[in-house]
Amino acid sequence: MPDSAAELPPLIRRQEVVAIALAGLLLIAVTAVLYFAKAFFLPVVMAFVVGTMLSPAAGFLERYRVPRGVGAVLIVTAVTALGMFIVGLIASPALEWSSRLPEFAAQLKEKLHIFDRPLALWHELQTMLGGSDPLTSLKMPKFDWVQPTLEFLSPTFTEFLLFVVTLILFIASWKDLRRAMIMNFGDRTSRLRTLRILNEIEEHLGGYLLTVTMINIGFGIATGIICLIAGVPNPAGLGALAATLNYIPIIGPVAMFAVLVVVGIVALPTLSGALVAPMLFVALTFFEGHFITPTIIGRRLALNALAVLLALAFWTWLWGPMGGFLSSPLLIVALILKEHLMPVETPQLPED
């Protein structure tokens, strides 16, 4: 019989525990710095990610003898003009509606009187069970959140200026940055690996932006057609809003659904008619999210649904809506780095 008193080696050594603890402390420290220095890191990281996405366009212009610096300015100007056009489509009806919020709140409360009876029955049930006094009628929420929400969603002028300047300089100097990062390594193997990593990041991010933009344009057009069929006012603005919000996974479609519900209830005479556009939008979102986007993007890079959700939750908590927009591109970059720096080996199962 083997000696049962023989000591077995520990599963986790003390040095490994110390290394894990130090890595955890480093992660917490980096997260804290990114959170409290959001005003600096968010526009810079956004410029790096968007600049990597737009660099192929600068290379395309460079092949037609357009200097890279001039091409960077033209690209950023075109993107800014497109963004201002979309904001104009959304802002015009939004400003009109915001000036009539009290009127719309009264209309909304009047149209939701259908819920008075269920609320009364619920009140009677709570009274019979000896519960506390609940709401006996549907009360409209206050609109004190509008201004803080707009401040939360809108970057400051300094952040926007830092983003634009960094984006132009990044696109203009991307070739030199690539060369510097590659030549920073001494051996040929490391240089080739760095080159493959940079090429793959640029290819995947550029393809991701182009593909998602095309999908979102079609998504916005389909949403506008749905609003037009359902009789919802300003279908062009709502379609532009749907296309913009669809860049933020999960949160964007949910927010757009809530907007369609509120607009439909306020603008249309009946509750059933007001729910037509939201229900059709849910069907469109389901079809786009489960068939179109996975079929197109999944062929280029498979993203785990749980990883996408966790990345979305983390970056949205850290940097707000812009963090939600960056979550998928940053996840793509992390997966590419993991694939090249930590290649997966075929695991060997222990013998019985």
Side-chain angles (χ1 to χ4, degrees), residues 8-13 16:
L8 297 175
L11 295 178
I12 302 179
R13 296 180 176 84
E16 295 176 347

Side-chain angles (χ1 to χ4, degrees), residues 164-291:
V164 172
V165 174
T166 306
L167 178 61
I168 293 176
L169 294 178
F170 181 85
I171 296 176
S173 60
W174 174 235
K175 290 179 65 176
D176 297 331
L177 290 175
R178 279 170 51 95
R179 186 179 299 109
M181 284 187 286
I182 294 171
M183 299 305 295
N184 187 50
F185 297 93
D187 58 297
R188 183 173 181 273
T189 303
S190 298
R191 290 179 179 179
L192 289 176
R193 181 172 58 185
T194 305
L195 178 61
R196 285 194 295 267
I197 291 174
L198 294 177
N199 287 341
E200 194 166 342
I201 288 176
E202 184 175 343
E203 177 187 356
H204 279 90
L205 288 187
Y208 174 82
L209 177 64
L210 179 62
T211 304
V212 170
T213 299
M214 293 296 103
I215 292 175
N216 289 349
I217 289 175
F219 186 80
I221 293 174
T223 303
I225 294 174
I226 287 175
C227 295
L228 183 63
I229 294 174
V232 179
N234 191 35
L238 292 174
L241 180 61
T244 304
L245 290 178
N246 207 46
Y247 279 101
I248 304 178
I250 303 173
I251 297 177
V254 172
M256 189 64 207
F257 172 79
V259 170
L260 289 177
V261 170
V262 174
V263 172
I265 292 176
V266 171
L268 299 179
T270 62
L271 184 62
S272 59
L275 295 179
V276 171
M279 293 300 104
L280 291 177
F281 178 78
V282 169
L284 174 65
T285 303
F286 179 83
F287 183 74
E288 181 266 335
H290 288 79
F291 296 99

Side-chain angles (χ1 to χ4, degrees), residues 48 59 81 133 176 218 244 272 333 340:
F48 284 4
D133 187 18
D176 297 331
T244 304
S272 59
V333 173
H340 285 274

Side-chain angles (χ1 to χ4, degrees), residues 249-250 303-313 327-328 331:
I250 303 173
L303 296 179
N304 183 271
L306 179 59
V308 171
L309 177 61
L310 294 179
L312 173 66
S327 62
S328 292
L331 179 61

